Amino acid sequence: MSAPRQSTAGLVFKWCLSVCLALILLYFVFRIYANGQPLWAIGALCLFGLGFYVYLANVAFAYRYLYPGVAAMLVFVALPMFYTASIGFTNYSSNNLLSESRSRQYLLEQSVPVDATSMRFTLHPDGNEFRIALSELEDVEPAIPTANFVSASLALMSQTPPLNVRMSSAKEASFPIGPPLPLSEVLKHRSALQAATLSLPDGRKLSYAGVGEFAEMSSLWRPNADGSLLHLLTGESYHPNQTTGFFENEKGEQIQPGFKVGVGLANYARILLDQEFRAPFVAIFTWTVAFSGLTVVFTLAIGLLLAAILNWEALPARGIYRTLLFLPYAVPAFISILVFKGLFNQNFGEINALLDAVFGVKPAWFADPLLAKIMVLVVNTWLGYPYFMILCSGLIKAIPADLYEASALVGASPWTNFKTITAPLIIKPLMPLLVSVFAFNFNNFVVIALLTDGRPDYLNTKLPAGTTDILVSYTYRIAFQDAGQNFGLAAAISTIIFILIALLSMANLRLTRGRETNQ
């Protein structure tokens, strides 16, 4: 009779745990919806609902093992890629960060001081308190307790409504006023003064209007019935332009901040059709392909050659050579890159010191575009050849020894053995890895960012672009370093990079399948 009771208890525990987890997840979905993201809330609800169905319903156990991996792929791979691609169809940038409603709200909250109501003030210490004296009013001294004053300064962003200080006359307060603080001391309390609102005896309210002044504040904008905004100082109306993402007047003048709108294929058209943008983009794309391809060629050639030499059993101290040659792979890449950056320094680097001593030249590695590219290839080859050396060493060990014995019987040289036996037998298994290394270097941001930062730059370009930039570093500069921070354009370039890498991955899969079929 005990087994059924245990089964019933386990079932009750299972459903209680499921209900608690469901409530927590539903609250999470509600918070997403409450923050104004209904589509994300629906997506999260579908994902959680599918998970409950897979694990609680009577379905095949295979789905329970597949669901975590599929869900992780959707959340961490598909979702970021979809979001990035969607940004590429917008004008999202540092000038167009907000939605139209938030941009409108920001403008409507702007205010300017009314000059006729401005009053000079001085700040006076009074023991543990500070007092504000308005120079245009007689016998008026508002008091701000020290505790409130300090809390207003530290918690200004969270204080709602602002600190309200009611005015009282000197006769009512009956206290002497101390000497005023100098301007440098007043500025230290600026945050608290900006949060304070002074209520005058006649009902008017004064706010901080600048250094040394309090005044009544007047709204700068007023909404019109047609959705436009009226600038109260100039009398001009600004209408929201759904094409440019700005509020504009009849003259086409724009006001900040702008808002995010869809621009369709404009970012992609700019990449392909705008001559001033296309020229550096094509040059950077060409260099990216050349950089990735040459890195694969050089690292493979050096790695394969060293692996063949280290496989020579008559070579003395092979273990020491193998350890030394493996060091570039063991040292963190960012350390090696920074060391090379110092070695290639034009004035103080050891490489130029050696070249100057031997040949009398001191190349400008970081200023000349061709030399900068050569330097990048040298450093990247240094970082990458140990990987191929290790792979080729393992593949050479797998080659049957009788092939070399038969070659020795006919008097073949080591170069003949390498050319006719070693290289052909290891290149085919290496092909998928060569594609993978090419794809990796296609996005090798670290070596470019730490060594040259993409420089030297091209001249007369709309956006900063460097001669050693590859697509990923160029995208980074557009998205985060350029003054415009054009996230939409950077997202479009990222989408193109994703498509190229996806094509390389498909080619890699085809090569792998072809090799398996031949075997």
Side-chain angles (χ1 to χ4, degrees), residues 255-331:
I255 56 173
Q256 296 285 352
F259 50 89
K260 187 169 62 175
V261 296
V263 295
L265 298 174
N267 289 322
Y268 295 94
R270 183 179 180 185
I271 295 172
L272 300 175
L273 303 179
D274 189 341
Q275 176 60 31
E276 294 186 15
F277 182 84
R278 183 179 59 195
F281 178 83
V282 171
I284 290 172
F285 175 79
T286 304
W287 161 241
T288 303
V289 175
F291 166 74
S292 305
L294 291 175
T295 297
V296 171
V297 172
F298 293 153
T299 53
L300 174 62
I302 296 176
L304 179 56
L305 178 62
L306 292 176
I309 295 175
L310 293 175
N311 193 56
W312 181 31
E313 295 182 357
L315 180 68
R318 286 194 304 162
I320 297 176
Y321 295 144
R322 186 180 289 110
T323 302
L324 293 176
L325 292 173
F326 180 74
L327 285 179
Y329 203 59
V331 178

Side-chain angles (χ1 to χ4, degrees), residues 208-280:
Y208 185 78
V211 179
E213 289 187 9
F214 271 85
E216 289 187 81
M217 307 300 290
S218 175
S219 297
L220 186 60
W221 298 89
R222 187 181 67 193
N224 294 326
D226 60 354
S228 62
L229 297 178
L230 178 65
H231 195 283
L232 298 178
L233 295 182
T234 63
E236 292 184 301
S237 294
Y238 288 76
H239 297 266
N241 190 325
Q242 299 299 327
T243 301
T244 61
F246 289 95
F247 285 91
E248 300 178 355
N249 59 11
E250 295 181 353
K251 302 176 184 178
E253 298 173 342
Q254 301 173 341
I255 56 173
Q256 296 285 352
F259 50 89
K260 187 169 62 175
V261 296
V263 295
L265 298 174
N267 289 322
Y268 295 94
R270 183 179 180 185
I271 295 172
L272 300 175
L273 303 179
D274 189 341
Q275 176 60 31
E276 294 186 15
F277 182 84
R278 183 179 59 195

